[in-house]
Amino acid sequence: GEKNKHVDNHVIWIDPDNTKHYLVGCDGGLYESFDGAATWRYFGNLPLTQFYRVCVDNTKPFYYIYSGTQDNNTLGGPSRTTSASGIINADWYVTTGGDGFQSRVDPKEPNIVYSESQYGGLVRFDKKSGETVDIRPMEKQGEPAYRFNWDAPIIISNFDNKRIYFAANKVFRSNDRGNGWQVISPDLSRGLDRNKFPVMGKVWSMDAVAKNASTSIFGNITALSESPKNENIIYAGTDEGLIQVTDNGGSSWTKIDNIVGIPQIKAGPYTMQPMVNYLLTSMHNEAVAYAVFNNHRQGDFKPYLIKTNDKGKTWINISGTLPENGAVYCIAEDHINPDLLFCGTEFGFYFSNDGGKNWIELKGGLPASICVKDITIQREENDVVIATFGRGLFVLDNYSLLQNIKKEDLGKNALIFPIKEGLVYNESSPYGHIGKSFQGESFYTARNPEVGATVYYYLKSDSKTRKELRTDAEKEKEKNKQDVYYPSADSIRMEDNEEAPYILAIITDEQGYEIRKYKQPAKKGLTKLTWDGRYELTVPINFKEPDLTNPYYTPPLGQPAVPGKFYIQLLHVKGAVTETLTDKVAFTIKALNQSTLPVPDQASMMAYNKDLADFRRVALGTYDYYNGLKERIKYLKKGVVASNVNSLVLLADLDACTKKIDALEIQFNGDASLAKREFETLNGFISALEGCVNESWYQSLGATQTHKDKVARLKTSFKDLYANVVDVKASIESIEQKAESLKMPATLGRLPKLE
């Protein structure tokens, strides 16, 4: 039974205690049945997708990613969302079926997506309507069948968004989005007969088991690239190792063969070179292009990555420092720095900032030994997106650090790298709460990037504590076989009492007002922090840890800043000594502004929010102090009963003070006696104030008139509330003086007199 289940099964487990209970692994993932395969449950939370190719569009505010999968369609979905639950499976949609491969999105009309399935199954998908149009080129009368690769290449011209190129064993061009095609090349393959290739040492008959089943048709174009600098220059590469180049838009083609450093393959009567897996023409220089050869079909997993500086006349090897065991699949070139390159291999993702002379593996956040099939760059966002064969898609957000870093920068004590404009908005809660909400642990979500401005900074060295310096010195002595003596008593105490040095990242506005401080470890290397575009909290200082397991927990947030220009600076703090590490670095934040209704005047909203934040500081501070007074009364009451002095005389004063506190409790928190018995009751002062704050600061339109009126009433009532707290304070202090005169044991907040 395969109802609502994917096909191509690979493994099955049958429960020995219930033989109708199956687990089945197939090309679609993992399925479970409890009724002998009549119905199936699908596990949608395994990030194991095998992606071949990847591309991105220019949709605002967040771009979309399109990629083709092994036997699971070609898909599209957002790079990020405004949801506090992140990116979920339902955000993605199918653009065409089958084995999914290359997609291309119209750069000016992102609703037009060209999507492909195996052997050249090409459609034009309309994202708005969800409809697809078959635009696969068809043979002309008398023309032999086209030979499409399993993963046939398609590109959109850099010069006309309606012009697309596609390839089988010939190159096709359409100037009307695939409605009609023109053949612009002859057969660019070698024209070899694959049935003459020896397999396991011999040529087999047509009746051999699975002779040509599940194998690519041979002799076709596997890679295609148009020069971004010259629309007449097009490169095509084949599965038998040929590169063909035209510099006149396809009127004539030049064959490039027998490239030095690329292996020769002997196949029966034929000699060829490995498959051209990828071609890339430089966006900086029309004479420069890159080619990737892949020889894994011969059991050779070496990297073959080459470059031409003269339109293919000569080639140089730029794969020298890549691991010897790890075939290259793809290459990408940075749009700003021509020396910054990326490549994907069988076992990892690499970059070079010297044009390919040296390669460094990028590991952060990637599974080990990951197979990277394709790379694309979203230029406006400076994001690198990679398609992996087995672990899904990964996005490296804003890699401008790699564009800007220089060797001499690493010699500086501290450095803040250029900061990309930050996007600030309030995340939505489509499931009621953040993360997986109440959808269960198997509900799959991918984390969104953090909201706000992301800052990368570099520290040349660690700032060490006295203990760390001592242990370093002791290790050196041990290495030199010297005695290690105990430090002095004063030194030991200083070690124990020392606070570790730290970095303060201080954000200021254009007037120099400090908005936010971030305390960071003073450790060498690269650090990332994200400012969410909000001011520091004005609530009382506390050491509470956020309860992230509580679905009802909402982290407290400060007032939102008005979008505009801000600065960040790094300070080093050690003990009472502060040292300025960097100059102020400017950056900007902008609002998403997706609300249907117009956003109110930002300056007046800011003034209101600042006034509300100041009022909140005093109000919550008063409430915090009031809670401290309640604790002092609690200790005094216990002291009256537990002490061995004549303290019962304090009972009347304590009773009178307790009545004042009970009245304050109703003012602050509402009438709990009535509320717990389901009587309708008014909100207390604190609940009303925090409600106004949350409803004003957690959405972009600011406070409603209703909230403004409520805050005005709260300000008026707070004067009496504050006076009552002061009165209770005086009463408690009077009782504490009497308790001390009676020599009652110490209570919270009371310092005994020294006689």
Side-chain angles (χ1 to χ4, degrees):
E2 301 274 62
K3 181 183 177 184
N4 298 324
K5 173 188 164 297
H6 205 287
V7 294
D8 290 358
N9 301 302
H10 300 290
V11 62
I12 183 170
W13 172 83
I14 303 173
D15 187 341
D17 298 320
N18 175 10
T19 55
K20 288 191 175 184
H21 178 202
Y22 305 157
L23 286 172
V24 173
C26 63
D27 269 17
L30 181 63
Y31 290 81
E32 184 174 34
S33 176
F34 290 92
D35 53 15
T39 58
W40 294 93
R41 170 198 177 199
Y42 173 63
F43 292 84
N45 61 342
L46 294 175
L48 302 175
T49 309
Q50 294 173 309
F51 281 108
Y52 284 103
R53 302 291 189 182
V54 64
C55 76
V56 293
D57 69 7
N58 295 316
T59 301
K60 299 292 186 296
F62 308 132
Y63 65 89
Y64 275 64
I65 303 171
Y66 293 87
S67 192
T69 68
Q70 165 62 36
D71 209 24
N72 282 267
N73 313 306
T74 296
L75 309 166
S79 61
R80 68 186 293 179
T81 67
T82 58
S83 170
S85 291
I87 307 165
I88 63 174
N89 290 336
D91 291 323
W92 285 73
Y93 48 87
V94 173
T95 58
T96 192
D99 285 275
F101 290 102
Q102 306 201 26
S103 288
R104 296 289 181 261
V105 188
D106 189 314
K108 295 181 180 178
E109 178 43 83
N111 284 318
I112 298 297
V113 183
Y114 304 97
S115 291
E116 186 188 345
S117 55
Q118 65 267 46
Y119 295 133
L122 184 64
V123 301
R124 187 178 65 229
F125 174 78
D126 189 327
K127 180 180 170 184
K128 187 181 291 186
S129 70
E131 296 179 339
T132 59
V133 177
D134 184 345
I135 58 171
R136 187 181 192 269
M138 296 183 182
E139 296 82 354
K140 296 179 174 59
Q141 185 69 32
E143 193 176 14
Y146 296 143
R147 296 191 301 275
F148 285 95
N149 189 261
W150 181 257
D151 178 13
I154 178 174
I155 56 176
I156 298 177
S157 173
N158 298 286
F159 302 91
D160 183 350
N161 65 304
K162 296 185 292 298
R163 182 188 304 162
I164 57 177
Y165 294 93
F166 195 39
N169 51 316
K170 300 178 180 180
V171 179
F172 313 104
R173 179 173 63 212
S174 173
N175 291 316
D176 55 8
R177 294 191 167 113
N179 285 333
W181 292 94
Q182 175 188 359
V183 179
I184 64 166
S185 81
D187 186 335
L188 296 183
S189 74
R190 297 181 190 268
L192 309 183
D193 181 359
R194 65 171 171 167
N195 291 312
K196 293 182 180 178
F197 293 173
V199 178
M200 292 184 289
K202 60 178 284 187
V203 176
W204 296 75
S205 80
M206 64 179 290
D207 296 321
V209 174
K211 171 66 173 65
N212 290 327
S214 300
T215 61
S216 282
I217 296 169
F218 202 72
N220 48 54
I221 296 168
T222 51
L224 201 61
S225 185
E226 176 202 55
S227 169
K229 306 293 287 184
N230 185 338
E231 62 183 315
N232 291 312
I233 298 177
I234 302 169
Y235 285 73
T238 74
D239 59 350
E240 349 96 318
L242 282 180
I243 295 177
Q244 303 264 18
V245 186
T246 178
D247 60 5
N248 50 26
S251 297
S252 61
W253 293 79
T254 301
K255 181 166 67 174
I256 301 170
D257 196 6
N258 299 317
I259 297 174
V260 176
I262 305 300
Q264 294 290 320
I265 299 170
K266 184 69 175 171
Y270 307 121
T271 300
M272 56 184 175
Q273 292 195 297
M275 175 175 66
V276 180
N277 208 84
Y278 212 89
L279 288 169
L280 178 70
T281 46
S282 173
M283 66 185 73
H284 302 286
N285 185 337
E286 70 175 62
V288 173
Y290 303 88
V292 173
F293 287 79
N294 190 298
N295 200 29
H296 78 271
R297 289 176 175 173
Q298 306 301 314
D300 175 10
F301 292 93
K302 292 179 181 177
Y304 297 106
L305 175 56
I306 60 175
K307 175 184 179 181
T308 180
N309 292 305
D310 54 14
K311 299 183 181 179
K313 294 183 181 66
T314 60
W315 297 83
I316 57 173
N317 181 3
I318 61 168
S319 55
T321 65
L322 289 169
E324 188 166 320
N325 182 29
V328 178
Y329 289 109
C330 51
I331 184 170
E333 178 189 55
D334 179 54
H335 51 287
I336 295 174
N337 180 359
D339 288 329
L340 178 56
L341 304 174
F342 301 91
C343 80
T345 77
E346 181 71 41
F347 300 117
F349 179 50
Y350 294 81
F351 82 96
S352 170
N353 58 5
D354 58 10
K357 295 174 185 174
N358 296 282
W359 293 92
I360 302 166
E361 186 174 6
L362 276 169
K363 296 181 180 179
L366 291 178
S369 302
I370 194 166
C371 174
V372 179
K373 286 283 192 178
D374 199 13
I375 306 167
T376 192
I377 295 173
Q378 216 294 338
R379 299 180 194 175
E380 294 181 8
E381 298 296 331
N382 262 358
D383 289 357
V384 173
V385 185
I386 65 172
T388 77
F389 202 67
R391 295 302 299 273
L393 301 167
F394 289 83
V395 180
L396 175 61
D397 299 298
N398 186 22
Y399 69 89
S400 58
L401 164 69
L402 299 179
Q403 292 170 325
N404 292 286
I405 194 168
K406 299 178 180 63
K407 200 169 186 178
E408 55 267 27
D409 289 338
L410 302 182
K412 298 177 181 177
N413 289 329
L415 175 70
I416 299 174
F417 292 98
I419 304 167
K420 176 183 171 183
E421 183 176 54
L423 187 63
V424 292
Y425 55 90
N426 295 285
E427 291 185 304
S428 63
S429 299
Y431 290 94
H433 303 281
I434 63 172
K436 299 185 180 186
S437 188
F438 301 139
Q439 300 303 306
E441 191 57 37
S442 64
F443 181 66
Y444 179 76
T445 65
R447 184 170 54 88
N448 274 317
E450 294 176 289
V451 174
T454 297
V455 178
Y456 291 93
Y457 67 84
Y458 169 79
L459 298 180
K460 182 181 178 181
S461 57
D462 292 335
S463 181
K464 297 185 177 182
T465 62
R466 288 184 172 89
K467 182 177 180 179
E468 289 170 333
L469 292 171
R470 173 180 60 78
T471 55
D472 286 348
E474 289 176 353
K475 287 176 184 175
E476 190 64 27
K477 286 183 177 180
E478 288 174 356
K479 190 168 69 174
N480 296 324
K481 299 191 176 351
Q482 295 176 313
D483 292 333
V484 178
Y485 296 107
Y486 265 53
S488 68
D490 285 342
S491 295
I492 292 173
R493 283 190 290 270
M494 290 173 71
E495 273 190 17
D496 287 347
N497 297 328
E498 182 185 22
E499 181 184 7
Y502 58 90
I503 299 296
L504 266 187
I506 303 177
I507 295 169
T508 56
D509 61 18
E510 289 192 273
Q511 289 72 45
Y513 181 80
E514 289 185 3
I515 291 176
R516 197 75 172 267
K517 295 190 187 81
Y518 287 93
K519 183 179 178 181
Q520 303 283 113
K523 297 299 180 183
K524 67 180 178 182
L526 186 68
T527 298
K528 169 188 172 184
L529 68 87
T530 300
W531 175 47
D532 60 5
R534 291 180 178 271
Y535 279 66
E536 198 70 73
L537 290 169
T538 55
V539 301
I541 302 301
N542 64 77
F543 294 91
K544 295 177 182 176
E545 293 294 328
D547 184 6
L548 300 180
T549 62
N550 180 1
Y552 300 104
Y553 173 77
T554 301
L557 299 175
Q559 69 186 80
V562 173
K565 190 174 184 179
F566 298 88
Y567 299 87
I568 186 167
Q569 186 175 34
L570 299 183
L571 270 64
H572 176 261
V573 181
K574 189 169 186 177
V577 179
T578 62
E579 176 192 3
T580 301
L581 295 181
T582 67
D583 294 331
K584 290 184 176 182
V585 174
F587 65 97
T588 60
I589 61 172
K590 67 176 180 180
L592 187 57
N593 289 338
Q594 277 197 316
S595 60
T596 303
L597 299 176
V599 177
D601 175 67
Q602 293 286 295
S604 59
M605 191 191 302
M606 180 68 184
Y608 175 82
N609 287 338
K610 186 177 186 308
D611 180 67
L612 179 57
D614 289 341
F615 175 54
R616 187 191 192 201
R617 179 190 70 82
V618 175
L620 294 187
T622 302
Y623 178 60
D624 194 57
Y625 186 80
Y626 156 76
N627 283 321
L629 293 176
K630 286 200 301 182
E631 285 294 297
R632 287 161 71 177
I633 279 288
K634 186 171 75 173
Y635 277 80
L636 285 166
K637 283 183 175 181
K638 183 172 182 179
V640 166
V641 175
S643 67
N644 59 349
V645 296
N646 298 325
S647 55
L648 294 179
V649 295
L650 300 177
L651 282 176
D653 289 341
L654 285 170
D655 183 62
C657 191
T658 299
K659 288 177 179 175
K660 292 180 182 179
I661 286 176
D662 290 343
L664 272 174
E665 183 67 22
I666 292 175
Q667 288 180 277
F668 273 122
N669 293 316
D671 195 330
S673 295
L674 295 181
K676 71 182 180 182
R677 293 172 173 83
E678 303 297 332
F679 284 90
E680 62 276 10
T681 56
L682 293 172
N683 284 337
F685 178 91
I686 296 300
S687 177
L689 174 61
E690 289 301 276
C692 290
V693 167
N694 291 341
E695 296 304 324
S696 300
W697 292 358
Y698 283 64
Q699 43 85 14
S700 60
L701 297 180
T704 65
Q705 190 59 48
T706 301
H707 292 123
K708 290 178 181 178
D709 293 343
K710 181 65 176 178
V711 169
R713 293 196 296 272
L714 290 172
K715 284 184 175 181
T716 300
S717 66
F718 182 69
K719 293 176 183 177
D720 289 339
L721 192 56
Y722 186 85
N724 291 338
V725 171
V726 172
D727 180 51
V728 169
K729 171 179 178 289
S731 298
I732 290 176
E733 288 174 347
S734 173
I735 296 171
E736 287 175 340
Q737 288 176 2
K738 293 177 182 178
E740 185 59 31
S741 67
L742 293 170
K743 299 186 183 301
M744 196 172 84
T747 54
L748 181 70
R750 177 166 60 92
L751 180 66
K753 285 183 180 179
L754 178 64
E755 297 183 0

